[in-house]
Amino acid sequence: MSKRRKKVAVSACLLGCPCRYDGKSMTSPKILELLKDCTLVPVCPEVMGGLATPRAPIEIVKGRAVNKNNEDVTAAFDQGSQIALDLVLEEGCDAAVLMQRSPSCGCGKIYDGTFDGHLIEGDGWFTRLLKEKGIPTIASDKFNEEGLSSLKDDHLN
């Protein structure tokens, strides 16, 4: 009997999709290599919520998702994060590797809401939902450094 192939949700920008706020991707060959034996489930909660690419940078300000033009995009973040979460749950993902510092996908550190490049402790909009459901998450930079050992052994090894 063969083992079930592990499923990992991955920020779509890390897989080459040009869905970042600046219209670019952040393709990570190392992540692709580390996860070559897993089924990858690409997610971009911001695009899934209807936000355009490119778009003004967004940060979390006083519990709201606000872009640099001071437009509140919280509804799009709520909608996209829920759509992405539903996909992750439907696919039975074991874990998620997410774009570091992103207002939707950041894990452990996000920008502070001043649009000055300062980081604070915290998680992105989508990441918080994943954690509430008990799905292990890790930021892409940490995953690149630590590899599969950075996630719980019972999820990916």
Side-chain angles (χ1 to χ4, degrees):
M1 185 180 282
S2 64
K3 272 176 72 172
R4 177 181 81 84
R5 188 174 170 101
K6 301 299 181 182
K7 289 187 178 182
V8 180
V10 181
S11 292
C13 61
L14 296 169
L15 300 177
C17 180
C19 57
R20 287 173 31 102
Y21 76 95
D22 58 5
K24 298 178 182 176
S25 70
M26 290 290 289
T27 306
S28 175
K30 186 168 184 182
I31 287 175
L32 291 171
E33 174 61 26
L34 289 168
L35 295 175
K36 70 178 185 256
D37 295 326
C38 299
T39 298
L40 306 182
V41 178
V43 292
C44 180
E46 294 175 28
V47 170
M48 292 169 127
L51 295 174
T53 303
R55 58 191 165 274
I58 300 165
E59 294 188 9
I60 298 174
V61 180
K62 297 180 183 174
R64 308 290 298 170
V66 178
N67 71 21
K68 197 167 185 173
N69 301 325
N70 204 33
E71 297 166 325
D72 190 318
V73 295
T74 302
F77 265 51
D78 283 341
Q79 179 181 358
S81 293
Q82 188 60 55
I83 291 168
L85 176 64
D86 290 346
L87 176 63
V88 166
L89 295 174
E90 286 170 20
E91 289 289 333
C93 291
D94 301 288
V97 177
L98 303 168
M99 185 65 205
Q100 70 230 21
R101 301 183 301 272
S102 161
S104 55
C105 293
C107 301
K109 291 202 180 286
I110 57 172
Y111 290 106
D112 69 357
T114 63
F115 296 94
D116 289 331
H118 299 110
L119 294 172
I120 58 170
E121 297 291 321
D123 291 319
W125 217 263
F126 173 56
T127 302
R128 290 191 306 244
L129 290 181
L130 290 173
K131 287 183 174 184
E132 287 172 10
K133 294 294 183 184
I135 297 170
T137 63
I138 185 166
S140 54
D141 56 348
K142 184 175 180 185
F143 188 74
N144 275 327
E145 290 173 17
E146 300 177 15
L148 295 175
S149 66
S150 59
L151 293 168
K152 294 180 181 177
D153 289 342
D154 59 335
H155 291 284
L156 289 177
N157 294 331

